Amino acid sequence: MKIIFTLLVCCCFQYSFAQRLDINSLEKLLNSPVRSADTLLRNSKFNLSDKEMGKGYSNYYYTSYERKDLVKHILRSVSFMDVYSDDDTSRLILYRTYDENEEEELKNQLLANGYQLFSSTANNFIYKKENYTITNKITLKTAKGSKPVTAYEFELGR
C-alpha cells in the first residue's frame, strides 16, 4: 500500500511541476522552430488555445491550468509571435503566471544563469546576459466581473 501511495504522490508531483517553464525553456523557445516550440510546450502540459496567422506574422497562444487544491488554481500562459521581414524572423515571447512563488523562482533562475539586473522601475525589472534581455513585469489584470489579480510576466525577444 505504501508503494502505491508513493507512486501516486510522485506522479502528482511530476505533473504539478511539468506545467511550469523555467528560464532555460524560455530561451529554447526563443531560438526553436515553431514545430519544436510547440512540442516543448505540449510536453510541458501547455495546450494551444489560439493561433493567428497574417501577412508577415504568426501568433501562438498556449495555456496551462493547474489545480492546487479545491480552492486554489493556477493559470499560466505563453504567447509567442514571429514577425517575418524578407529573410529575417523576429520572435517575442511572453510567459505569464499568477503565482508569486513561481515569479521568485524564475528571478532566482535568472541570477543563477548569469543574468544581471540592468534596470528597474516600480513594477518592471530588466535583466541582461550577453545577447539576451528578459523583462519581468508585475501588473494587475481584471477579468470581467471579478476582482483584480496580480500577473507576473516574463518577456524576451530576438
Side-chain angles (χ1 to χ4, degrees), residues 28 34-35 64 76 86 91 95 100 104 108 111 120 123 127 132 143 148 154 158:
K28 284 179 192 173
V34 173
R35 185 170 289 222
S64 173
R76 296 178 181 92
D86 299 323
R91 177 171 287 171
Y95 178 66
E100 185 175 8
E104 286 299 319
N108 289 335
L111 298 174
S120 65
N123 291 321
Y127 295 87
Y132 293 107
F154 289 83
R158 63 167 164 85

Side-chain angles (χ1 to χ4, degrees), residues 7-152:
L7 286 173
L8 183 62
V9 168
C10 288
C11 289
C12 292
F13 194 67
Q14 171 63 27
Y15 179 74
S16 171
F17 285 108
Q19 296 178 351
R20 294 179 177 200
L21 292 180
D22 59 15
I23 295 303
N24 292 326
S25 296
L26 293 175
E27 288 177 350
K28 284 179 192 173
L29 284 174
L30 190 62
N31 297 304
S32 297
V34 173
R35 185 170 289 222
S36 298
D38 179 71
T39 300
L40 187 146
L41 289 167
R42 288 181 190 273
N43 288 342
S44 298
K45 308 295 184 219
F46 281 80
N47 296 310
L48 181 62
S49 298
D50 194 20
K51 177 173 144 180
E52 185 179 345
M53 309 288 266
K55 184 176 180 171
Y57 76 95
S58 57
N59 193 16
Y60 302 87
Y61 183 70
Y62 292 79
T63 55
S64 173
Y65 181 75
E66 179 182 353
R67 187 174 184 160
K68 289 281 197 185
D69 54 39
L70 291 175
V71 178
K72 187 173 181 177
H73 310 301
I74 297 175
L75 176 68
R76 296 178 181 92
S77 66
V78 176
S79 61
F80 68 91
M81 175 183 270
D82 288 340
V83 178
Y84 311 104
S85 174
D86 299 323
D87 292 337
D88 190 29
T89 301
S90 299
R91 177 171 287 171
L92 177 67
I93 295 175
L94 176 65
Y95 178 66
R96 181 180 295 141
T97 181
Y98 296 91
D99 183 7
E100 185 175 8
N101 293 329
E102 185 177 356
E103 183 224 13
E104 286 299 319
E105 289 174 27
L106 287 166
K107 288 186 343 185
N108 289 335
Q109 288 175 24
L110 284 169
L111 298 174
N113 283 311
Y115 285 87
Q116 294 184 356
L117 183 61
F118 180 74
S119 69
S120 65
T121 60
N123 291 321
N124 290 320
F125 306 91
I126 299 173
Y127 295 87
K128 290 192 174 202
K129 174 183 86 169
E130 299 165 5
N131 295 331
Y132 293 107
T133 300
I134 297 181
T135 304
N136 173 214
K137 297 179 183 178
I138 303 170
T139 59
L140 282 177
K141 302 286 182 187
T142 306
K144 219 176 200 182
S146 66
K147 65 180 182 176
V149 293
T150 304
Y152 306 96

